[in-house]
Amino acid sequence: MRRAAYITAAVLGVACAALVIVFCAYAYAWWIIAVALAVVIFIPVGSLLHELSHKLFGAMAHVKTRMHFSVFGSSYCDVWTTRSRNLRSRLTATALGGLAINLLFIILGIISLSVHAVPVCISFVLPASVYLFVLNVFPCTLGDGDTDGMAALGLIRLDDEAKVTLAVMSVQADVESGTPIAEIPRERLEDLPQIQEDSPAYQALLELKEHYYTVTGDATAAARCRKRLEELKEYAEE
């Protein structure tokens, strides 16, 4: 699935770039080299818009985000919240934010190539938008984590990893909003499905459990979580 996502996104992105360049050749003549450069420059711009849309949708859903933007590499957002109510729907909206802005610019780019009254320069962001939309709509895991489509689908289906993620984030939200972690019912951290141990959600759960057990005086359980975290870190470094 991951390979299919990269290949499909790359092929469609290049096809859109060729379409924009050929179309603009009639409008800009010898400026076509500048148009080609603009299309390339808009690749990181499209990525930035994608991540900013996550922040926008997150803000509307009361989900906080920290953006990690890279001009030449993968970009992503960390998410957290201080509200545990309706967390599932709010996280889903945040996950779909990047796809929404990419789809908007795809529509605007097509319109700019079809309607003379609309500036054709809007189409410069079309190839990057197509690439990012196709890549992120695939429900799979890429190098830096799950795609937006994978994250949203997991939340909609409420699969095991989504259940763990929601449990961790809801406890963190309650603590952030003022509830002492020692007052959190133990079952909220323990009555959860087993997921893959290399999952970020599993490691976040272990870290939260270690803190919880330390505060509540269960030194044995805290040490067990700490040891497992160290083992996972060593495994990841190999």
PDB file of all heavy atoms in Angstrom, residues 83-107:
ATOM      1  N   ARG A  83      -9.246  19.124  26.230  1.00  0.00           N
ATOM      2  CA  ARG A  83     -10.653  18.747  26.319  1.00  0.00           C
ATOM      3  C   ARG A  83     -10.816  17.298  25.881  1.00  0.00           C
ATOM      4  O   ARG A  83     -10.415  16.939  24.778  1.00  0.00           O
ATOM      5  CB  ARG A  83     -11.526  19.638  25.426  1.00  0.00           C
ATOM      6  CG  ARG A  83     -11.465  21.118  25.761  1.00  0.00           C
ATOM      7  CD  ARG A  83     -12.458  21.882  24.917  1.00  0.00           C
ATOM      8  NE  ARG A  83     -12.421  23.313  25.180  1.00  0.00           N
ATOM      9  CZ  ARG A  83     -13.296  24.189  24.690  1.00  0.00           C
ATOM     10  NH1 ARG A  83     -14.280  23.766  23.911  1.00  0.00           N
ATOM     11  NH2 ARG A  83     -13.189  25.478  24.974  1.00  0.00           N
ATOM     12  N   SER A  84     -11.382  16.484  26.745  1.00  0.00           N
ATOM     13  CA  SER A  84     -11.570  15.074  26.399  1.00  0.00           C
ATOM     14  C   SER A  84     -12.936  14.799  25.778  1.00  0.00           C
ATOM     15  O   SER A  84     -13.161  13.713  25.226  1.00  0.00           O
ATOM     16  CB  SER A  84     -11.401  14.202  27.655  1.00  0.00           C
ATOM     17  OG  SER A  84     -12.305  14.597  28.670  1.00  0.00           O
ATOM     18  N   ARG A  85     -13.829  15.761  25.834  1.00  0.00           N
ATOM     19  CA  ARG A  85     -15.188  15.557  25.308  1.00  0.00           C
ATOM     20  C   ARG A  85     -15.183  15.553  23.776  1.00  0.00           C
ATOM     21  O   ARG A  85     -14.522  16.379  23.148  1.00  0.00           O
ATOM     22  CB  ARG A  85     -16.122  16.647  25.822  1.00  0.00           C
ATOM     23  CG  ARG A  85     -17.581  16.438  25.461  1.00  0.00           C
ATOM     24  CD  ARG A  85     -18.452  17.514  26.076  1.00  0.00           C
ATOM     25  NE  ARG A  85     -19.865  17.312  25.761  1.00  0.00           N
ATOM     26  CZ  ARG A  85     -20.843  18.129  26.143  1.00  0.00           C
ATOM     27  NH1 ARG A  85     -20.559  19.202  26.872  1.00  0.00           N
ATOM     28  NH2 ARG A  85     -22.097  17.867  25.812  1.00  0.00           N
ATOM     29  N   ASN A  86     -15.926  14.608  23.183  1.00  0.00           N
ATOM     30  CA  ASN A  86     -16.040  14.491  21.717  1.00  0.00           C
ATOM     31  C   ASN A  86     -14.668  14.422  21.043  1.00  0.00           C
ATOM     32  O   ASN A  86     -14.482  14.936  19.933  1.00  0.00           O
ATOM     33  CB  ASN A  86     -16.841  15.662  21.141  1.00  0.00           C
ATOM     34  CG  ASN A  86     -18.260  15.712  21.675  1.00  0.00           C
ATOM     35  OD1 ASN A  86     -18.901  14.687  21.880  1.00  0.00           O
ATOM     36  ND2 ASN A  86     -18.765  16.924  21.906  1.00  0.00           N
ATOM     37  N   LEU A  87     -13.725  13.785  21.693  1.00  0.00           N
ATOM     38  CA  LEU A  87     -12.350  13.774  21.197  1.00  0.00           C
ATOM     39  C   LEU A  87     -12.238  13.070  19.849  1.00  0.00           C
ATOM     40  O   LEU A  87     -11.487  13.504  18.969  1.00  0.00           O
ATOM     41  CB  LEU A  87     -11.448  13.095  22.227  1.00  0.00           C
ATOM     42  CG  LEU A  87      -9.953  13.041  21.904  1.00  0.00           C
ATOM     43  CD1 LEU A  87      -9.405  14.434  21.657  1.00  0.00           C
ATOM     44  CD2 LEU A  87      -9.200  12.348  23.042  1.00  0.00           C
ATOM     45  N   ARG A  88     -12.971  12.009  19.680  1.00  0.00           N
ATOM     46  CA  ARG A  88     -12.881  11.231  18.440  1.00  0.00           C
ATOM     47  C   ARG A  88     -13.246  12.069  17.217  1.00  0.00           C
ATOM     48  O   ARG A  88     -12.508  12.090  16.219  1.00  0.00           O
ATOM     49  CB  ARG A  88     -13.795  10.016  18.547  1.00  0.00           C
ATOM     50  CG  ARG A  88     -13.816   9.113  17.333  1.00  0.00           C
ATOM     51  CD  ARG A  88     -14.830   8.002  17.567  1.00  0.00           C
ATOM     52  NE  ARG A  88     -15.051   7.164  16.414  1.00  0.00           N
ATOM     53  CZ  ARG A  88     -16.043   6.285  16.323  1.00  0.00           C
ATOM     54  NH1 ARG A  88     -16.889   6.142  17.342  1.00  0.00           N
ATOM     55  NH2 ARG A  88     -16.197   5.553  15.229  1.00  0.00           N
ATOM     56  N   SER A  89     -14.362  12.759  17.266  1.00  0.00           N
ATOM     57  CA  SER A  89     -14.799  13.571  16.124  1.00  0.00           C
ATOM     58  C   SER A  89     -13.873  14.765  15.912  1.00  0.00           C
ATOM     59  O   SER A  89     -13.607  15.146  14.766  1.00  0.00           O
ATOM     60  CB  SER A  89     -16.238  14.054  16.335  1.00  0.00           C
ATOM     61  OG  SER A  89     -16.347  14.822  17.522  1.00  0.00           O
ATOM     62  N   ARG A  90     -13.346  15.323  16.981  1.00  0.00           N
ATOM     63  CA  ARG A  90     -12.462  16.483  16.855  1.00  0.00           C
ATOM     64  C   ARG A  90     -11.120  16.093  16.242  1.00  0.00           C
ATOM     65  O   ARG A  90     -10.558  16.822  15.418  1.00  0.00           O
ATOM     66  CB  ARG A  90     -12.281  17.131  18.223  1.00  0.00           C
ATOM     67  CG  ARG A  90     -13.540  17.871  18.690  1.00  0.00           C
ATOM     68  CD  ARG A  90     -13.576  18.136  20.186  1.00  0.00           C
ATOM     69  NE  ARG A  90     -12.296  18.604  20.660  1.00  0.00           N
ATOM     70  CZ  ARG A  90     -11.733  18.200  21.801  1.00  0.00           C
ATOM     71  NH1 ARG A  90     -12.347  17.312  22.566  1.00  0.00           N
ATOM     72  NH2 ARG A  90     -10.574  18.687  22.168  1.00  0.00           N
ATOM     73  N   LEU A  91     -10.611  14.933  16.610  1.00  0.00           N
ATOM     74  CA  LEU A  91      -9.370  14.455  16.007  1.00  0.00           C
ATOM     75  C   LEU A  91      -9.569  14.084  14.541  1.00  0.00           C
ATOM     76  O   LEU A  91      -8.680  14.309  13.708  1.00  0.00           O
ATOM     77  CB  LEU A  91      -8.835  13.244  16.776  1.00  0.00           C
ATOM     78  CG  LEU A  91      -8.233  13.507  18.158  1.00  0.00           C
ATOM     79  CD1 LEU A  91      -7.806  12.200  18.802  1.00  0.00           C
ATOM     80  CD2 LEU A  91      -7.050  14.461  18.064  1.00  0.00           C
ATOM     81  N   THR A  92     -10.723  13.535  14.228  1.00  0.00           N
ATOM     82  CA  THR A  92     -11.019  13.193  12.834  1.00  0.00           C
ATOM     83  C   THR A  92     -11.038  14.444  11.968  1.00  0.00           C
ATOM     84  O   THR A  92     -10.472  14.465  10.870  1.00  0.00           O
ATOM     85  CB  THR A  92     -12.378  12.471  12.733  1.00  0.00           C
ATOM     86  OG1 THR A  92     -12.367  11.298  13.545  1.00  0.00           O
ATOM     87  CG2 THR A  92     -12.669  12.072  11.290  1.00  0.00           C
ATOM     88  N   ALA A  93     -11.671  15.501  12.462  1.00  0.00           N
ATOM     89  CA  ALA A  93     -11.720  16.763  11.723  1.00  0.00           C
ATOM     90  C   ALA A  93     -10.320  17.332  11.525  1.00  0.00           C
ATOM     91  O   ALA A  93      -9.979  17.832  10.440  1.00  0.00           O
ATOM     92  CB  ALA A  93     -12.599  17.765  12.466  1.00  0.00           C
ATOM     93  N   THR A  94      -9.495  17.238  12.558  1.00  0.00           N
ATOM     94  CA  THR A  94      -8.124  17.744  12.461  1.00  0.00           C
ATOM     95  C   THR A  94      -7.325  16.946  11.428  1.00  0.00           C
ATOM     96  O   THR A  94      -6.574  17.514  10.638  1.00  0.00           O
ATOM     97  CB  THR A  94      -7.434  17.663  13.833  1.00  0.00           C
ATOM     98  OG1 THR A  94      -8.202  18.396  14.801  1.00  0.00           O
ATOM     99  CG2 THR A  94      -6.031  18.251  13.768  1.00  0.00           C
ATOM    100  N   ALA A  95      -7.495  15.630  11.431  1.00  0.00           N
ATOM    101  CA  ALA A  95      -6.772  14.775  10.487  1.00  0.00           C
ATOM    102  C   ALA A  95      -7.163  15.069   9.042  1.00  0.00           C
ATOM    103  O   ALA A  95      -6.325  14.998   8.135  1.00  0.00           O
ATOM    104  CB  ALA A  95      -7.034  13.305  10.805  1.00  0.00           C
ATOM    105  N   LEU A  96      -8.431  15.407   8.827  1.00  0.00           N
ATOM    106  CA  LEU A  96      -8.917  15.649   7.464  1.00  0.00           C
ATOM    107  C   LEU A  96      -8.626  17.065   6.977  1.00  0.00           C
ATOM    108  O   LEU A  96      -8.859  17.374   5.803  1.00  0.00           O
ATOM    109  CB  LEU A  96     -10.424  15.385   7.401  1.00  0.00           C
ATOM    110  CG  LEU A  96     -10.851  13.918   7.599  1.00  0.00           C
ATOM    111  CD1 LEU A  96     -12.370  13.815   7.640  1.00  0.00           C
ATOM    112  CD2 LEU A  96     -10.291  13.040   6.490  1.00  0.00           C
ATOM    113  N   GLY A  97      -8.129  17.924   7.856  1.00  0.00           N
ATOM    114  CA  GLY A  97      -7.881  19.309   7.475  1.00  0.00           C
ATOM    115  C   GLY A  97      -6.915  19.471   6.320  1.00  0.00           C
ATOM    116  O   GLY A  97      -7.128  20.270   5.405  1.00  0.00           O
ATOM    117  N   GLY A  98      -5.807  18.702   6.350  1.00  0.00           N
ATOM    118  CA  GLY A  98      -4.824  18.805   5.277  1.00  0.00           C
ATOM    119  C   GLY A  98      -5.387  18.375   3.938  1.00  0.00           C
ATOM    120  O   GLY A  98      -5.132  19.006   2.903  1.00  0.00           O
ATOM    121  N   LEU A  99      -6.167  17.303   3.934  1.00  0.00           N
ATOM    122  CA  LEU A  99      -6.785  16.840   2.690  1.00  0.00           C
ATOM    123  C   LEU A  99      -7.768  17.872   2.152  1.00  0.00           C
ATOM    124  O   LEU A  99      -7.887  18.059   0.935  1.00  0.00           O
ATOM    125  CB  LEU A  99      -7.507  15.511   2.933  1.00  0.00           C
ATOM    126  CG  LEU A  99      -6.627  14.306   3.249  1.00  0.00           C
ATOM    127  CD1 LEU A  99      -7.483  13.106   3.615  1.00  0.00           C
ATOM    128  CD2 LEU A  99      -5.730  13.975   2.064  1.00  0.00           C
ATOM    129  N   ALA A 100      -8.460  18.550   3.058  1.00  0.00           N
ATOM    130  CA  ALA A 100      -9.459  19.541   2.640  1.00  0.00           C
ATOM    131  C   ALA A 100      -8.804  20.694   1.894  1.00  0.00           C
ATOM    132  O   ALA A 100      -9.304  21.126   0.844  1.00  0.00           O
ATOM    133  CB  ALA A 100     -10.215  20.057   3.866  1.00  0.00           C
ATOM    134  N   ILE A 101      -7.683  21.202   2.401  1.00  0.00           N
ATOM    135  CA  ILE A 101      -7.034  22.340   1.740  1.00  0.00           C
ATOM    136  C   ILE A 101      -6.420  21.903   0.417  1.00  0.00           C
ATOM    137  O   ILE A 101      -6.435  22.656  -0.572  1.00  0.00           O
ATOM    138  CB  ILE A 101      -5.972  22.984   2.654  1.00  0.00           C
ATOM    139  CG1 ILE A 101      -5.585  24.371   2.126  1.00  0.00           C
ATOM    140  CG2 ILE A 101      -4.752  22.112   2.783  1.00  0.00           C
ATOM    141  CD1 ILE A 101      -6.675  25.397   2.189  1.00  0.00           C
ATOM    142  N   ASN A 102      -5.869  20.679   0.360  1.00  0.00           N
ATOM    143  CA  ASN A 102      -5.333  20.186  -0.903  1.00  0.00           C
ATOM    144  C   ASN A 102      -6.434  20.055  -1.951  1.00  0.00           C
ATOM    145  O   ASN A 102      -6.244  20.436  -3.120  1.00  0.00           O
ATOM    146  CB  ASN A 102      -4.655  18.833  -0.710  1.00  0.00           C
ATOM    147  CG  ASN A 102      -3.358  18.917   0.065  1.00  0.00           C
ATOM    148  OD1 ASN A 102      -3.022  18.019   0.828  1.00  0.00           O
ATOM    149  ND2 ASN A 102      -2.618  20.003  -0.099  1.00  0.00           N
ATOM    150  N   LEU A 103      -7.593  19.532  -1.545  1.00  0.00           N
ATOM    151  CA  LEU A 103      -8.713  19.385  -2.469  1.00  0.00           C
ATOM    152  C   LEU A 103      -9.195  20.749  -2.949  1.00  0.00           C
ATOM    153  O   LEU A 103      -9.529  20.925  -4.131  1.00  0.00           O
ATOM    154  CB  LEU A 103      -9.847  18.628  -1.790  1.00  0.00           C
ATOM    155  CG  LEU A 103     -11.082  18.339  -2.655  1.00  0.00           C
ATOM    156  CD1 LEU A 103     -10.696  17.517  -3.876  1.00  0.00           C
ATOM    157  CD2 LEU A 103     -12.152  17.614  -1.840  1.00  0.00           C
ATOM    158  N   LEU A 104      -9.207  21.734  -2.046  1.00  0.00           N
ATOM    159  CA  LEU A 104      -9.627  23.086  -2.429  1.00  0.00           C
ATOM    160  C   LEU A 104      -8.714  23.652  -3.504  1.00  0.00           C
ATOM    161  O   LEU A 104      -9.177  24.212  -4.507  1.00  0.00           O
ATOM    162  CB  LEU A 104      -9.616  23.997  -1.198  1.00  0.00           C
ATOM    163  CG  LEU A 104      -9.872  25.484  -1.458  1.00  0.00           C
ATOM    164  CD1 LEU A 104     -11.258  25.692  -2.058  1.00  0.00           C
ATOM    165  CD2 LEU A 104      -9.711  26.293  -0.172  1.00  0.00           C
ATOM    166  N   PHE A 105      -7.399  23.492  -3.328  1.00  0.00           N
ATOM    167  CA  PHE A 105      -6.462  24.038  -4.313  1.00  0.00           C
ATOM    168  C   PHE A 105      -6.455  23.222  -5.600  1.00  0.00           C
ATOM    169  O   PHE A 105      -6.119  23.763  -6.661  1.00  0.00           O
ATOM    170  CB  PHE A 105      -5.058  24.119  -3.715  1.00  0.00           C
ATOM    171  CG  PHE A 105      -4.831  25.377  -2.921  1.00  0.00           C
ATOM    172  CD1 PHE A 105      -4.929  25.370  -1.549  1.00  0.00           C
ATOM    173  CD2 PHE A 105      -4.556  26.578  -3.560  1.00  0.00           C
ATOM    174  CE1 PHE A 105      -4.740  26.524  -0.810  1.00  0.00           C
ATOM    175  CE2 PHE A 105      -4.357  27.740  -2.843  1.00  0.00           C
ATOM    176  CZ  PHE A 105      -4.462  27.725  -1.463  1.00  0.00           C
ATOM    177  N   ILE A 106      -6.813  21.959  -5.529  1.00  0.00           N
ATOM    178  CA  ILE A 106      -6.970  21.179  -6.765  1.00  0.00           C
ATOM    179  C   ILE A 106      -8.123  21.751  -7.579  1.00  0.00           C
ATOM    180  O   ILE A 106      -8.010  21.958  -8.800  1.00  0.00           O
ATOM    181  CB  ILE A 106      -7.226  19.693  -6.435  1.00  0.00           C
ATOM    182  CG1 ILE A 106      -5.953  19.047  -5.897  1.00  0.00           C
ATOM    183  CG2 ILE A 106      -7.711  18.942  -7.685  1.00  0.00           C
ATOM    184  CD1 ILE A 106      -6.149  17.643  -5.374  1.00  0.00           C
ATOM    185  N   ILE A 107      -9.237  22.035  -6.906  1.00  0.00           N
ATOM    186  CA  ILE A 107     -10.404  22.600  -7.585  1.00  0.00           C
ATOM    187  C   ILE A 107     -10.073  23.978  -8.158  1.00  0.00           C
ATOM    188  O   ILE A 107     -10.393  24.288  -9.315  1.00  0.00           O
ATOM    189  CB  ILE A 107     -11.594  22.687  -6.614  1.00  0.00           C
ATOM    190  CG1 ILE A 107     -12.048  21.276  -6.217  1.00  0.00           C
ATOM    191  CG2 ILE A 107     -12.763  23.446  -7.248  1.00  0.00           C
ATOM    192  CD1 ILE A 107     -13.080  21.256  -5.110  1.00  0.00           C
TER     193      ILE A 107
END
